[in-house]
Amino acid sequence: MPAAPPNPTRISKRFAELRASGELGLVAYITAGDPSLDTTLKFVLDLAGAGADVIELGVPFSDPLADGPTIQRASERALRAGTTLVGVLDLVRRTRRSSQVPLVLFSYYNPILQMGLEKFASSAAAAGADGVLATDLTPEEADDYRRILAAHHLDTIFLGAPTSTDERLAKIAACSSGFLYLISRTAVTGAKDAFPEDLPALIRRARAVTQLPIAVGFGISLPGHVSVLGGLADAAVVGSALVSDIENATKSGASPSAIDAAAMALTNRIRGFREAARHGLSRREVAP
Amino acid sequence: MGTILPSQTTAPGRFGPYGGRYVPETLMVPLFELERAYEQAKSDSAFQAQFQYLLKNFAGRPTPLQFASRLTEKLGGPRIYLKREDLLHTGAHKINNAIGQGLLAVKMGKPRIIAETGAGQHGVASATVAAHLGLECVVYMGTEDMARQALNVARMRMLGTQVVAVDSGSRTLKDAINEAMRDWVTNVRTTHYLLGSVLGAHPYPTMVRDFQAVIGREAREQILAAGKRLPTHLFACVGGGSNSIGLFHEFLRDANVKLIGIEAGGRGSGLGEHAARLAAHQGFAGARPGVLQGTYTYVLQNEDGQIATTHSISAGLDYPAIGPEHAWLADQRRAEYSAVSDQAALDAARLLSRTEGIIPALESAHAIAGLVERLPKMSKDDLVILNLSGRGDKDMDTYSRLL
């Protein structure tokens, strides 16, 4: 196991606070630049204000092969609006002027690789990002990436999946810092009705191999999902549901009133999840 | 000339710096399982016997190596032999790999296969093998390609395959692969992804190459029998690169055999106008090493790492990345790559039709055009094998419109 980073990031601090309070955390994903980077800044601040514990900023990519239709469309809108990785890093910098909410860059690998690992890591750290998750990068291909990001005190978050063996989960956790992101189902991103039956077993398998906080994502769209995760996980990741809220509110254009409506929808959804998280069993209550 | 074979230099799945396995975690264990199943199949005599039986009796191997006498005479240069993969069942080399992977799917107990297709030849091959082996089959195809390869769409449906229209991005092969990967991530426990080219994550580039290497093994024997010597040049078109690597592989050690891959030069050299990944020396813009759809290789992309749209008259060559082994062969200068235009390919298709009585697929027509453009650098002593990877039935709409 690699040593924990010398300076714990905002992510680790937030999860430590959550563990102390026994409350389920909320990780909110939105695609940066949908419909513009200026509005994303507003959304990030509103999400943080409404109680999101960690915010994942999706870096739009032309070929999002792990994403369902909702995030595919958001990525297309963001790219049409001219969003680049440089622009997203600038958004991080602007966010830091007024918020200390933990920020994770959620990207496909190629945009990071094209910027150059060293330049990306130094820019992301200087802008005030806390961690990075590359969807199509697993520990096997990530030696340089991990070394360089760690040198800049950025958390490297890797995905664990239902198909991962115990041995792999251990390896993924050992390569991760900040938290471990567990994919709830074999699927692309997107809203679903129910959790798969083997999810609690997957979370237990992960718990057995790591002390890291565990966030569960993919398919979480209803307060009920969040309640179920209380007592099992450390955090729930909500993504496509929020992206849908933005899409629905801005369908006929990103006017100031449409942006306000989108922000209201995001705020309400996070508040609803926050309530559900409080009413669900906390991890501490059911821990043996 | 490079005499170092990529497979001897690096870890499995790496060709120099290229290749690898860049996929969402959900697919990692399935890829390990596939790699294991494939390694076992290599030494499984029952598997190999069934593979050889189907290649011979279902697909129609060996394919002839035909001396193209009138084309040779017309061009007035090297002696030209055609490796007639177009004569295979379903009309292209794609069936070789589809049979191999179809048998693997059965061996792994996966009742369902999915595939992507550009020109439709891999889709038809997959649909055919699925029907023959009793597997369920779903093929993803861009709507742009469905329109220009309508015959192949009808063939797949006749064979009982579900063809899913992909209307995202450039609505071509790249987008079909994205959609197939989304299906695979979702249904990975029951489904084998029958990838059609030497692309994607390890073990695909190696496995697909091995299934296609029969082309070069046969051609080498055949040319030694017919010409009493090794060829001086091999020509093949390169989309993802499966027919070309299939021909080249057996000749990699023969340092005096020039390996020439022909890419799609489309309608111009600007980004978005072509699908030439390894022809920067001809002025084609936009290719740099990067990661796309599971592998590290040359990719047409913009400064921000967003994948470029491509254009080619040929649906099978209309793709922004190239198989990682080709990237390595190009870096090592063991193979040469150049691109020809849409118009040159059309002219070449007409030339072959009228000199040899063979209507080639638009993809294979690129290889012929590449040969024609290289004639000034060749002599009568040269001996060429050109891989005629597919037949032109599927392209008759385009030909009758444009010729």
mmCIF file with all atom_site columns, all heavy atoms in Angstrom, chain B residues 223-236:
data_model
loop_
_atom_site.group_PDB
_atom_site.id
_atom_site.type_symbol
_atom_site.label_atom_id
_atom_site.label_alt_id
_atom_site.label_comp_id
_atom_site.label_asym_id
_atom_site.label_entity_id
_atom_site.label_seq_id
_atom_site.pdbx_PDB_ins_code
_atom_site.Cartn_x
_atom_site.Cartn_y
_atom_site.Cartn_z
_atom_site.occupancy
_atom_site.B_iso_or_equiv
_atom_site.pdbx_formal_charge
_atom_site.auth_seq_id
_atom_site.auth_comp_id
_atom_site.auth_asym_id
_atom_site.auth_atom_id
_atom_site.pdbx_PDB_model_num
ATOM 1   N N   . ILE B 1 223 ? 3.184  -17.820 -53.615 1.00 0.00 ? 223 ILE B N   1
ATOM 2   C CA  . ILE B 1 223 ? 4.076  -17.031 -54.480 1.00 0.00 ? 223 ILE B CA  1
ATOM 3   C C   . ILE B 1 223 ? 5.393  -17.778 -54.687 1.00 0.00 ? 223 ILE B C   1
ATOM 4   O O   . ILE B 1 223 ? 5.985  -17.725 -55.780 1.00 0.00 ? 223 ILE B O   1
ATOM 5   C CB  . ILE B 1 223 ? 4.323  -15.611 -53.906 1.00 0.00 ? 223 ILE B CB  1
ATOM 6   C CG1 . ILE B 1 223 ? 4.901  -14.673 -54.981 1.00 0.00 ? 223 ILE B CG1 1
ATOM 7   C CG2 . ILE B 1 223 ? 5.263  -15.615 -52.709 1.00 0.00 ? 223 ILE B CG2 1
ATOM 8   C CD1 . ILE B 1 223 ? 3.931  -14.179 -55.992 1.00 0.00 ? 223 ILE B CD1 1
ATOM 9   N N   . LEU B 1 224 ? 5.825  -18.523 -53.664 1.00 0.00 ? 224 LEU B N   1
ATOM 10  C CA  . LEU B 1 224 ? 7.058  -19.304 -53.840 1.00 0.00 ? 224 LEU B CA  1
ATOM 11  C C   . LEU B 1 224 ? 6.841  -20.408 -54.870 1.00 0.00 ? 224 LEU B C   1
ATOM 12  O O   . LEU B 1 224 ? 7.734  -20.726 -55.661 1.00 0.00 ? 224 LEU B O   1
ATOM 13  C CB  . LEU B 1 224 ? 7.523  -19.877 -52.494 1.00 0.00 ? 224 LEU B CB  1
ATOM 14  C CG  . LEU B 1 224 ? 8.126  -18.841 -51.541 1.00 0.00 ? 224 LEU B CG  1
ATOM 15  C CD1 . LEU B 1 224 ? 8.399  -19.457 -50.158 1.00 0.00 ? 224 LEU B CD1 1
ATOM 16  C CD2 . LEU B 1 224 ? 9.398  -18.218 -52.114 1.00 0.00 ? 224 LEU B CD2 1
ATOM 17  N N   . ALA B 1 225 ? 5.628  -20.951 -54.889 1.00 0.00 ? 225 ALA B N   1
ATOM 18  C CA  . ALA B 1 225 ? 5.311  -21.982 -55.882 1.00 0.00 ? 225 ALA B CA  1
ATOM 19  C C   . ALA B 1 225 ? 5.184  -21.372 -57.279 1.00 0.00 ? 225 ALA B C   1
ATOM 20  O O   . ALA B 1 225 ? 5.678  -21.927 -58.259 1.00 0.00 ? 225 ALA B O   1
ATOM 21  C CB  . ALA B 1 225 ? 4.017  -22.695 -55.494 1.00 0.00 ? 225 ALA B CB  1
ATOM 22  N N   . ALA B 1 226 ? 4.541  -20.214 -57.356 1.00 0.00 ? 226 ALA B N   1
ATOM 23  C CA  . ALA B 1 226 ? 4.248  -19.633 -58.675 1.00 0.00 ? 226 ALA B CA  1
ATOM 24  C C   . ALA B 1 226 ? 5.417  -18.833 -59.232 1.00 0.00 ? 226 ALA B C   1
ATOM 25  O O   . ALA B 1 226 ? 5.727  -18.921 -60.422 1.00 0.00 ? 226 ALA B O   1
ATOM 26  C CB  . ALA B 1 226 ? 3.017  -18.730 -58.573 1.00 0.00 ? 226 ALA B CB  1
ATOM 27  N N   . GLY B 1 227 ? 6.086  -18.061 -58.399 1.00 0.00 ? 227 GLY B N   1
ATOM 28  C CA  . GLY B 1 227 ? 7.126  -17.153 -58.886 1.00 0.00 ? 227 GLY B CA  1
ATOM 29  C C   . GLY B 1 227 ? 8.525  -17.588 -58.521 1.00 0.00 ? 227 GLY B C   1
ATOM 30  O O   . GLY B 1 227 ? 9.487  -16.951 -58.910 1.00 0.00 ? 227 GLY B O   1
ATOM 31  N N   . LYS B 1 228 ? 8.623  -18.660 -57.769 1.00 0.00 ? 228 LYS B N   1
ATOM 32  C CA  . LYS B 1 228 ? 9.918  -19.217 -57.338 1.00 0.00 ? 228 LYS B CA  1
ATOM 33  C C   . LYS B 1 228 ? 10.742 -18.228 -56.507 1.00 0.00 ? 228 LYS B C   1
ATOM 34  O O   . LYS B 1 228 ? 11.952 -18.383 -56.370 1.00 0.00 ? 228 LYS B O   1
ATOM 35  C CB  . LYS B 1 228 ? 10.767 -19.676 -58.541 1.00 0.00 ? 228 LYS B CB  1
ATOM 36  C CG  . LYS B 1 228 ? 10.057 -20.577 -59.520 1.00 0.00 ? 228 LYS B CG  1
ATOM 37  C CD  . LYS B 1 228 ? 9.700  -21.916 -58.903 1.00 0.00 ? 228 LYS B CD  1
ATOM 38  C CE  . LYS B 1 228 ? 8.902  -22.762 -59.914 1.00 0.00 ? 228 LYS B CE  1
ATOM 39  N NZ  . LYS B 1 228 ? 7.878  -23.581 -59.239 1.00 0.00 ? 228 LYS B NZ  1
ATOM 40  N N   . ARG B 1 229 ? 10.142 -17.177 -56.050 1.00 0.00 ? 229 ARG B N   1
ATOM 41  C CA  . ARG B 1 229 ? 10.873 -16.243 -55.193 1.00 0.00 ? 229 ARG B CA  1
ATOM 42  C C   . ARG B 1 229 ? 9.880  -15.460 -54.331 1.00 0.00 ? 229 ARG B C   1
ATOM 43  O O   . ARG B 1 229 ? 8.672  -15.489 -54.591 1.00 0.00 ? 229 ARG B O   1
ATOM 44  C CB  . ARG B 1 229 ? 11.708 -15.272 -56.021 1.00 0.00 ? 229 ARG B CB  1
ATOM 45  C CG  . ARG B 1 229 ? 10.890 -14.427 -56.996 1.00 0.00 ? 229 ARG B CG  1
ATOM 46  C CD  . ARG B 1 229 ? 11.794 -13.471 -57.796 1.00 0.00 ? 229 ARG B CD  1
ATOM 47  N NE  . ARG B 1 229 ? 11.037 -12.760 -58.815 1.00 0.00 ? 229 ARG B NE  1
ATOM 48  C CZ  . ARG B 1 229 ? 11.014 -11.431 -58.941 1.00 0.00 ? 229 ARG B CZ  1
ATOM 49  N NH1 . ARG B 1 229 ? 11.680 -10.664 -58.097 1.00 0.00 ? 229 ARG B NH1 1
ATOM 50  N NH2 . ARG B 1 229 ? 10.320 -10.851 -59.905 1.00 0.00 ? 229 ARG B NH2 1
ATOM 51  N N   . LEU B 1 230 ? 10.431 -14.764 -53.347 1.00 0.00 ? 230 LEU B N   1
ATOM 52  C CA  . LEU B 1 230 ? 9.582  -13.939 -52.497 1.00 0.00 ? 230 LEU B CA  1
ATOM 53  C C   . LEU B 1 230 ? 9.172  -12.693 -53.276 1.00 0.00 ? 230 LEU B C   1
ATOM 54  O O   . LEU B 1 230 ? 9.888  -12.250 -54.182 1.00 0.00 ? 230 LEU B O   1
ATOM 55  C CB  . LEU B 1 230 ? 10.331 -13.521 -51.229 1.00 0.00 ? 230 LEU B CB  1
ATOM 56  C CG  . LEU B 1 230 ? 10.486 -14.596 -50.159 1.00 0.00 ? 230 LEU B CG  1
ATOM 57  C CD1 . LEU B 1 230 ? 11.406 -14.093 -49.039 1.00 0.00 ? 230 LEU B CD1 1
ATOM 58  C CD2 . LEU B 1 230 ? 9.126  -14.995 -49.589 1.00 0.00 ? 230 LEU B CD2 1
ATOM 59  N N   . PRO B 1 231 ? 8.031  -12.105 -52.907 1.00 0.00 ? 231 PRO B N   1
ATOM 60  C CA  . PRO B 1 231 ? 7.639  -10.857 -53.553 1.00 0.00 ? 231 PRO B CA  1
ATOM 61  C C   . PRO B 1 231 ? 8.574  -9.723  -53.133 1.00 0.00 ? 231 PRO B C   1
ATOM 62  O O   . PRO B 1 231 ? 9.263  -9.823  -52.118 1.00 0.00 ? 231 PRO B O   1
ATOM 63  C CB  . PRO B 1 231 ? 6.225  -10.616 -53.029 1.00 0.00 ? 231 PRO B CB  1
ATOM 64  C CG  . PRO B 1 231 ? 6.182  -11.329 -51.713 1.00 0.00 ? 231 PRO B CG  1
ATOM 65  C CD  . PRO B 1 231 ? 7.095  -12.515 -51.856 1.00 0.00 ? 231 PRO B CD  1
ATOM 66  N N   . THR B 1 232 ? 8.591  -8.657  -53.919 1.00 0.00 ? 232 THR B N   1
ATOM 67  C CA  . THR B 1 232 ? 9.344  -7.465  -53.506 1.00 0.00 ? 232 THR B CA  1
ATOM 68  C C   . THR B 1 232 ? 8.448  -6.498  -52.750 1.00 0.00 ? 232 THR B C   1
ATOM 69  O O   . THR B 1 232 ? 8.924  -5.719  -51.934 1.00 0.00 ? 232 THR B O   1
ATOM 70  C CB  . THR B 1 232 ? 9.935  -6.742  -54.728 1.00 0.00 ? 232 THR B CB  1
ATOM 71  O OG1 . THR B 1 232 ? 8.871  -6.445  -55.653 1.00 0.00 ? 232 THR B OG1 1
ATOM 72  C CG2 . THR B 1 232 ? 10.975 -7.623  -55.422 1.00 0.00 ? 232 THR B CG2 1
ATOM 73  N N   . HIS B 1 233 ? 7.154  -6.525  -53.046 1.00 0.00 ? 233 HIS B N   1
ATOM 74  C CA  . HIS B 1 233 ? 6.217  -5.580  -52.430 1.00 0.00 ? 233 HIS B CA  1
ATOM 75  C C   . HIS B 1 233 ? 4.904  -6.280  -52.073 1.00 0.00 ? 233 HIS B C   1
ATOM 76  O O   . HIS B 1 233 ? 4.402  -7.069  -52.864 1.00 0.00 ? 233 HIS B O   1
ATOM 77  C CB  . HIS B 1 233 ? 5.851  -4.442  -53.396 1.00 0.00 ? 233 HIS B CB  1
ATOM 78  C CG  . HIS B 1 233 ? 6.999  -3.584  -53.820 1.00 0.00 ? 233 HIS B CG  1
ATOM 79  N ND1 . HIS B 1 233 ? 7.950  -3.997  -54.717 1.00 0.00 ? 233 HIS B ND1 1
ATOM 80  C CD2 . HIS B 1 233 ? 7.339  -2.318  -53.457 1.00 0.00 ? 233 HIS B CD2 1
ATOM 81  C CE1 . HIS B 1 233 ? 8.839  -3.021  -54.910 1.00 0.00 ? 233 HIS B CE1 1
ATOM 82  N NE2 . HIS B 1 233 ? 8.492  -1.990  -54.149 1.00 0.00 ? 233 HIS B NE2 1
ATOM 83  N N   . LEU B 1 234 ? 4.377  -5.920  -50.914 1.00 0.00 ? 234 LEU B N   1
ATOM 84  C CA  . LEU B 1 234 ? 3.013  -6.299  -50.562 1.00 0.00 ? 234 LEU B CA  1
ATOM 85  C C   . LEU B 1 234 ? 2.189  -5.021  -50.472 1.00 0.00 ? 234 LEU B C   1
ATOM 86  O O   . LEU B 1 234 ? 2.641  -4.029  -49.886 1.00 0.00 ? 234 LEU B O   1
ATOM 87  C CB  . LEU B 1 234 ? 2.955  -7.003  -49.202 1.00 0.00 ? 234 LEU B CB  1
ATOM 88  C CG  . LEU B 1 234 ? 3.844  -8.222  -48.984 1.00 0.00 ? 234 LEU B CG  1
ATOM 89  C CD1 . LEU B 1 234 ? 3.610  -8.774  -47.574 1.00 0.00 ? 234 LEU B CD1 1
ATOM 90  C CD2 . LEU B 1 234 ? 3.561  -9.301  -50.016 1.00 0.00 ? 234 LEU B CD2 1
ATOM 91  N N   . PHE B 1 235 ? 0.994  -5.037  -51.028 1.00 0.00 ? 235 PHE B N   1
ATOM 92  C CA  . PHE B 1 235 ? 0.085  -3.894  -50.919 1.00 0.00 ? 235 PHE B CA  1
ATOM 93  C C   . PHE B 1 235 ? -1.217 -4.336  -50.249 1.00 0.00 ? 235 PHE B C   1
ATOM 94  O O   . PHE B 1 235 ? -1.757 -5.385  -50.584 1.00 0.00 ? 235 PHE B O   1
ATOM 95  C CB  . PHE B 1 235 ? -0.271 -3.332  -52.310 1.00 0.00 ? 235 PHE B CB  1
ATOM 96  C CG  . PHE B 1 235 ? 0.808  -2.487  -52.912 1.00 0.00 ? 235 PHE B CG  1
ATOM 97  C CD1 . PHE B 1 235 ? 1.830  -3.063  -53.641 1.00 0.00 ? 235 PHE B CD1 1
ATOM 98  C CD2 . PHE B 1 235 ? 0.796  -1.100  -52.758 1.00 0.00 ? 235 PHE B CD2 1
ATOM 99  C CE1 . PHE B 1 235 ? 2.835  -2.288  -54.210 1.00 0.00 ? 235 PHE B CE1 1
ATOM 100 C CE2 . PHE B 1 235 ? 1.788  -0.313  -53.321 1.00 0.00 ? 235 PHE B CE2 1
ATOM 101 C CZ  . PHE B 1 235 ? 2.818  -0.901  -54.050 1.00 0.00 ? 235 PHE B CZ  1
ATOM 102 N N   . ALA B 1 236 ? -1.713 -3.500  -49.356 1.00 0.00 ? 236 ALA B N   1
ATOM 103 C CA  . ALA B 1 236 ? -3.021 -3.755  -48.752 1.00 0.00 ? 236 ALA B CA  1
ATOM 104 C C   . ALA B 1 236 ? -3.581 -2.436  -48.238 1.00 0.00 ? 236 ALA B C   1
ATOM 105 O O   . ALA B 1 236 ? -2.818 -1.543  -47.844 1.00 0.00 ? 236 ALA B O   1
ATOM 106 C CB  . ALA B 1 236 ? -2.909 -4.750  -47.607 1.00 0.00 ? 236 ALA B CB  1
#
